[in-house]
Amino acid sequence: MTENDALRQEIAALADAAEAAPETTADLKSLAVQLWTNFDEFTVEELEDILRDAWRIRGLPFNDNAGI
């Protein structure tokens, strides 16, 4: 399994959890920081963008503080 595969699996698991409890997984910055601990070849901002795309694809709510 490559690093990208592992990241995709982790994001899919987080998105699944967000579908079950959207209020606890709406802060993408926090989730990105958590992911960064295991996937530090990406920046937190890159991870947040990846999460944002995944949330949009699934139609999940999120707190979009991008650019603030």
Side-chain angles (χ1 to χ4, degrees):
M1 177 183 304
T2 69
E3 192 83 9
N4 285 337
D5 291 338
L7 177 59
R8 272 193 289 276
Q9 285 184 333
E10 187 65 28
I11 289 173
L14 289 170
D16 290 343
E19 288 178 342
E23 66 283 350
T24 62
T25 54
D27 185 354
L28 298 186
K29 176 70 84 178
S30 175
L31 293 175
V33 169
Q34 290 174 26
L35 283 173
W36 182 78
T37 62
N38 292 322
F39 300 98
D40 63 356
E41 71 274 12
F42 297 95
T43 66
V44 170
E45 291 77 16
E46 289 171 330
L47 291 167
E48 191 175 3
D49 287 343
I50 294 167
L51 286 166
R52 190 177 294 109
D53 290 344
W55 262 234
R56 282 189 178 123
I57 287 168
R58 291 194 185 205
L60 296 168
F62 59 90
N63 180 6
D64 193 358
N65 290 322
I68 294 177

